[in-house]
Amino acid sequence: MSKIAFLTLGCKLNYAETSTYERGFVKAGLEVVPWREKADVYLINTCSVTAMADTKSRNLIRKCHRVNPEALVIVTGCSAQLREKEITAIEGVTRIFGASEKGSVVGATLELLGLQQSGSTCGSEINDMFGAYSSGERTRSFLKVQDGCNNYCNYCTVPYARGESRNIPIAECVKYANEIAAEGIREIVLTGVNTGDFGRSTGESFLDLLKALNEVPGIERFRISSIEPNLLTDDIINWIASGKTKFQPHFHIPLQSGSDSLLKAMGRHYDTQFFAEKIRSIREALESPGKARVFFGIDLMAGLPGESEELFRESYEFVEKLHPAFIHVFPYSRRPGTPAAEMPGQVPEAVKAERVAKLEELCERLHDEFVSANKGLTERVLWESTNRKGMMEGYTGNYIRLTRPFDSDKVGNLEDIII
């Protein structure tokens, strides 16, 4: 029996795709082993969102080759798409699968192992859609419903790595959701590069997708992993607020900067007033006395080109006033080929690091305040399977992490807990 090891960097989309590859290889009879063991195949799903991610991807490829120089080293993901020449030059790389070839990873690799006859193993164009979902966890699955992006923000390489916005049909999403439910998984997180843009390639709507998934038996909770503020419409908000849905009061909404001048320079499709009004309207629709507060996570970059100390302070104060529950902070990474890379006012790395630290301190304070505001309320917790020194963790609907002594009978079950 051939052995295969998987390594995944980057976003939940990559994890969903790797999990889908894994199911295909297991079905073909391969044994999955940890990557530090000697495997016959190493599959590395790479990330290119930052320069550091590209570096980590290349280093992992080299490490796998050192573990077993005779193994097949298969590389896919965003770095494989954008940095093909650099990765091809790495000793030991057997085959690279770009964005157009994700659907052929399993079949083509099995051919290389001599386990499958030669067939159609190449994709046609970058905008092919590869549906995927994660498995392996007993409580939660990430379902990829959309890929690609048409926004072309000035700092971002994602549209070049993943192509234009497209999606699988609602019927296929529902089929996958039923497969996930059949595994005993209780929660699904919808993922995509620009998730709210669902329907662009099928003429369907994101709200229709949510309504269809809401009817899938066996799934108790849904979350939306990330959605642009301009795509989180009033119709979606009002439907979730209706009390008839399994979608949780948990939203992750990219902001990137709390400065209007920087938002404009980066090509974002909203300003701070629009963003703040969106948060206010969601809170007004979903929150009331005695009910849990809505969890808002936001993405925020530190050190965008042109971010002076004054603009950083403006951004900081906007976020502080907005009062999200969590801030996903990361330093701006200068990506070759993007307009932002050539803009004046590039911020020194040391300054970026200082600003990241300040924003992470703000995040910790805001999250503590969010948890405190929910104390005393009764919320349903979905307990997870990991045993951490005799303790287990679970999340409320509004994404507060709670712990209790480990009890295997609680795994995958929902329980009412006073926060």
Side-chain angles (χ1 to χ4, degrees):
M1 179 183 291
S2 296
K3 296 180 178 180
I4 186 167
F6 299 92
L7 296 93
T8 306
L9 295 92
C11 63
K12 299 301 183 184
L13 281 181
N14 273 9
Y15 282 90
E17 290 168 355
T18 297
S19 194
T20 301
Y21 300 143
E22 182 175 334
R23 289 192 299 274
F25 284 114
V26 169
K27 186 177 180 180
L30 275 68
E31 178 188 356
V32 179
V33 298
W35 75 268
R36 293 184 185 277
E37 292 187 16
K38 192 173 183 180
D40 301 296
V41 183
Y42 295 94
L43 192 152
I44 301 99
N45 198 345
T46 62
C47 177
S48 188
V49 70
T50 65
M52 180 62 71
D54 276 323
T55 300
K56 285 182 178 179
S57 297
R58 293 192 295 269
N59 287 342
L60 280 176
I61 293 167
R62 295 185 181 98
K63 287 179 180 178
C64 289
H65 178 61
R66 287 198 294 269
V67 173
N68 183 9
E70 304 302 318
L72 302 181
V73 177
I74 307 299
V75 185
T76 187
C78 290
S79 196
Q81 176 69 27
L82 296 176
R83 304 283 180 265
E84 182 180 0
K85 289 184 179 179
E86 296 171 43
I87 292 174
T88 300
I90 298 174
E91 183 179 356
V93 171
T94 306
R95 172 95 188 251
I96 295 173
F97 291 87
S100 66
E101 300 172 296
K102 292 180 180 181
S104 63
V105 167
V106 175
T109 303
L110 292 175
E111 285 180 25
L112 292 170
L113 288 168
L115 300 176
Q116 181 170 298
Q117 291 185 349
S118 178
S120 176
T121 59
C122 293
S124 56
E125 57 179 28
I126 192 173
N127 293 316
D128 285 349
M129 178 66 190
F130 174 59
Y133 64 88
S134 67
S135 54
E137 285 190 51
R138 292 173 61 184
T139 51
R140 180 180 298 111
S141 177
F142 294 89
L143 171 58
K144 174 186 170 184
V145 299
Q146 185 274 342
D147 205 344
C149 185
N150 293 4
N151 288 342
Y152 289 90
C153 298
N154 289 331
Y155 53 81
C156 186
T157 60
V158 168
Y160 309 102
R162 285 192 168 265
E164 295 180 355
S165 178
R166 71 267 188 207
N167 57 276
I168 56 177
I170 289 176
E172 191 171 345
C173 296
V174 170
K175 171 180 169 290
Y176 286 146
N178 278 296
E179 291 177 9
I180 292 166
E183 294 182 15
I185 294 170
R186 308 292 292 280
E187 180 175 298
I188 290 177
V189 183
L190 305 186
T191 64
V193 172
N194 189 5
T195 313
D197 202 36
F198 180 93
R200 182 175 289 270
S201 59
T202 59
E204 300 166 308
S205 77
F206 189 51
L207 179 55
D208 286 341
L209 169 67
L210 304 188
K211 290 179 177 179
L213 290 173
N214 197 61
E215 301 301 317
V216 173
I219 301 300
E220 299 288 340
R221 305 203 299 197
F222 287 93
R223 300 183 192 273
I224 303 169
S225 64
S226 180
I227 185 167
E228 294 285 319
N230 53 306
L231 297 176
L232 186 50
T233 65
D234 290 343
D235 286 344
I236 292 172
I237 295 167
N238 292 334
W239 180 74
I240 293 175
S242 69
K244 301 175 183 178
T245 83
K246 301 174 185 176
F247 282 81
Q248 303 301 300
H250 172 197
F251 299 92
H252 192 96
I253 309 175
L255 172 62
Q256 310 305 6
S257 176
S259 161
D260 283 335
S261 60
L262 288 176
L263 288 175
K264 184 177 181 180
M266 293 302 111
R268 300 296 285 168
H269 298 281
Y270 52 85
D271 58 18
T272 54
Q273 181 179 346
F274 179 90
F275 196 96
E277 175 59 25
K278 184 65 64 176
I279 300 297
R280 186 204 63 77
S281 67
I282 296 171
R283 283 182 169 140
E284 186 176 86
L286 273 70
E287 293 184 349
S288 61
K291 288 185 66 175
R293 303 290 181 91
V294 177
F295 184 104
F296 290 104
I298 64 171
D299 291 334
L300 197 67
M301 287 195 207
L304 285 164
E307 186 184 67
S308 63
E309 194 62 40
E310 180 183 356
L311 291 183
F312 171 72
R313 175 54 54 180
E314 180 182 325
S315 185
Y316 183 101
E317 291 176 352
F318 174 76
V319 173
E320 186 176 34
K321 186 177 179 181
L322 199 65
H323 231 81
F326 178 76
I327 312 170
H328 182 198
V329 185
F330 45 99
Y332 163 72
S333 181
R334 196 172 185 174
R335 311 305 290 135
T338 60
E342 307 304 322
M343 288 181 178
Q346 298 290 330
V347 178
E349 294 301 319
V351 175
K352 290 180 192 176
E354 290 175 5
R355 293 176 182 176
V356 166
K358 289 178 181 178
L359 290 169
E360 287 179 340
E361 288 177 3
L362 175 61
C363 173
E364 186 173 351
R365 172 162 61 85
L366 292 175
H367 187 263
D368 288 344
E369 292 174 3
F370 175 75
V371 174
S372 295
N374 284 274
K375 282 188 175 177
L377 299 176
T378 300
E379 276 292 296
R380 303 201 80 192
V381 178
L382 179 60
W383 295 111
E384 300 182 348
S385 60
T386 303
N387 187 338
R388 301 181 188 276
K389 299 181 179 179
M391 302 295 288
M392 65 196 306
E393 298 178 345
Y395 286 89
T396 64
N398 63 338
Y399 213 61
I400 294 175
R401 186 179 67 181
L402 300 178
T403 60
R404 57 154 292 138
F406 186 84
D407 182 348
S408 59
D409 291 337
K410 299 284 186 182
V411 172
N413 289 322
L414 287 154
E415 182 178 17
D416 289 337
I417 297 289
I418 299 175
I419 299 175

